[in-house]
Amino acid sequence: MRKLILTALMAATAFPVAAEAQSRGEIRRDRRDIQEQKREYRDAVRRGDWRDARDARGDLRDARRELREDRNDRNRRWGDNDWRDWRNRNRGVYARGNWRAPFRYYAFRPGVRIAPVYYTSSYWIADPWRYRLPPAGYGERWVRHYDDLLLVDTRRGIVLRVIHNFYW
């Protein structure tokens, strides 16, 4: 009986890590599928085979939808309630402080490409676990922009997620 309980505890602690790894793997696979579908579409257009191009465009649309759904599932798994509850109990951690940037405030939206000046290393959140944020993926960083928090793909400069009024 003791072995069964220990095995169940070990499985319960290992499962979220495995689920996260699976999710990142799915996202990576979906990105590869999108690249492949883009190639097939371009090749069909070059050949002038419009029926194949139409089919490839539909496949590309499906691959993009799957990527979007996997990203949304990943974001749902890291629910906003974790950090919101923590913020309400620990207001001192989220105090705004004397923070200024050499640029104006702009309310960014997910999907927007931003200039590298907005996500240089001086604006990175070095310890997202302190704020109960989900870990950033490969090539992604949590970045502070005045009172907002942005998850930015640093390779392409695209805003992946925005949390408005994160700091008090």
Side-chain angles (χ1 to χ4, degrees):
M1 184 65 167
R2 200 165 108 192
K3 286 183 182 180
L4 179 65
I5 292 172
L6 287 174
T7 305
L9 284 174
M10 289 188 328
T13 57
F15 180 71
V17 174
E20 179 64 25
Q22 180 184 3
S23 174
R24 286 185 187 196
E26 287 175 0
I27 290 173
R28 207 172 306 127
R29 256 183 269 116
D30 288 344
R31 284 182 184 149
R32 270 189 253 128
D33 287 346
I34 288 173
Q35 293 303 319
E36 182 181 328
Q37 297 302 330
K38 280 182 183 178
R39 265 192 303 276
E40 288 178 9
Y41 175 69
R42 282 193 303 261
D43 291 344
V45 169
R46 270 190 223 120
R47 286 192 316 264
D49 190 355
W50 299 110
R51 189 168 294 165
D52 283 348
R54 186 179 57 220
D55 294 341
R57 189 174 51 218
D59 293 341
L60 177 59
R61 190 178 309 120
D62 293 341
R64 285 181 174 153
R65 187 179 63 245
E66 286 178 19
L67 175 63
R68 196 170 35 250
E69 288 171 358
D70 285 344
R71 280 186 178 154
N72 288 340
D73 287 344
R74 180 178 175 203
N75 287 342
R76 257 186 249 113
R77 186 173 23 257
W78 290 98
D80 287 343
N81 292 335
D82 293 341
W83 68 264
R84 286 185 198 275
D85 293 340
W86 177 256
R87 183 176 74 162
N88 289 335
R89 288 190 309 257
N90 300 293
R91 289 179 169 265
V93 174
Y94 294 86
R96 182 166 195 257
N98 190 12
W99 190 86
R100 290 280 178 237
F103 41 78
R104 289 181 39 180
Y105 172 78
Y106 184 79
F108 292 112
R109 297 182 330 265
V112 173
R113 186 180 301 269
I114 60 175
V117 71
Y118 289 105
Y119 57 91
T120 59
S121 61
S122 56
Y123 305 119
W124 290 353
I125 303 297
D127 50 355
W129 58 89
R130 177 179 179 206
Y131 300 107
R132 300 297 195 261
L133 291 169
Y138 178 76
E140 300 172 356
R141 288 286 183 171
W142 286 105
V143 176
R144 183 172 184 172
H145 180 64
Y146 286 87
D147 287 348
D148 299 344
L149 206 59
L150 312 173
L151 181 62
V152 178
D153 181 351
T154 56
R155 294 171 293 174
R156 298 178 298 154
I158 294 179
V159 176
L160 302 174
R161 189 170 178 193
V162 178
I163 302 175
H164 293 287
N165 298 321
F166 186 76
Y167 295 95
W168 298 108

